């Protein structure tokens, strides 16, 4: 018998990016594919996420960026939006929901990576 914990939604945000969904999806699947567009710049207390699941040009699920929250996951959904992509990230945890300060840190880091660094990488 396998035991699967129920994942609780921590928070979710979405914004638009200029490239089409298949380009954004490819960047999420392999952040280092194009060394001239370095965007997944981790802090000293973060780890490289692993791709846990993906559906081509639609969704990617990453493992946690934070060693102190190893069971958390980040679901990334890409969908067409006008001439570009709407990217939504949703953080999940099987554990107790984090406090407000931790939630702010999660939101800040994911926004910085995805809506800051990744967006800037496309503008190069």
């Amino acid at each position: 018998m396998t035991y699967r914990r129920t994942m609780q939604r921590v928070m979710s945000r979405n914004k638009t990016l200029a490239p089409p969904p298949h380009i954004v999806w490819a960047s999420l699947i392999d952040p280092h594919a194009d060394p001239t567009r370095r965007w997944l710049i981790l802090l000293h207390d973060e780890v490289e996420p692993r791709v846990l699941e993906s559906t081509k040009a639609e969704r990617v699920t990453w493992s946690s960026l934070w060693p102190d929250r190893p069971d958390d996951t980040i679901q990334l959904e890409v969908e067409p939006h006008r001439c570009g992509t709407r990217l939504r990230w949703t953080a999940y945890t099987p554990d107790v929901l984090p406090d407000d300060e931790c939630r702010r840190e999660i939101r800040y880091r994911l926004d910085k990576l995805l809506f800051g660094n990744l967006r800037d990488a496309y503008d190069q």
Side-chain angles (χ1 to χ4, degrees):
M1 180 168 93
T2 60
Y3 172 71
R4 187 172 183 158
R5 292 191 259 181
T6 302
M7 298 297 276
Q8 300 179 79
R9 182 179 170 272
V10 176
M11 71 183 71
S12 185
R13 302 263 306 220
N14 73 85
K15 289 190 179 185
T16 58
L17 299 171
H22 72 279
I23 299 293
V24 175
W25 179 82
S27 296
L28 299 170
I29 288 294
D30 187 357
H32 307 293
D34 184 349
T36 65
R37 294 178 185 234
R38 189 168 170 248
W39 65 270
L40 187 63
I41 302 164
L42 302 172
L43 300 178
H44 72 280
D45 61 346
E46 296 173 338
V47 295
E48 183 93 12
R50 290 176 291 110
V51 173
L52 302 175
E53 295 179 38
S54 77
T55 304
K56 189 168 185 172
E58 291 180 12
R59 179 180 324 222
V60 177
T61 302
W62 279 354
S63 63
S64 178
L65 296 168
W66 303 282
D68 62 336
R69 302 190 60 81
D71 296 326
D72 289 3
T73 60
I74 303 155
Q75 185 172 356
L76 305 154
E77 298 174 75
V78 295
E79 62 182 45
H81 179 75
R82 297 186 182 148
C83 295
T85 299
R86 177 168 306 283
L87 173 61
R88 173 182 303 278
W89 64 257
T90 306
Y92 290 96
T93 188
D95 301 319
V96 173
L97 288 172
D99 62 26
D100 288 343
E101 181 180 346
C102 183
R103 291 166 58 93
R104 278 191 297 275
E105 290 173 13
I106 291 169
R107 182 179 62 239
Y108 175 80
R109 282 304 292 154
L110 291 175
D111 281 352
K112 172 73 173 149
L113 290 171
L114 299 168
F115 304 136
N117 296 3
L118 182 58
R119 174 176 283 160
D120 291 348
Y122 293 134
D123 291 340
Q124 292 179 358

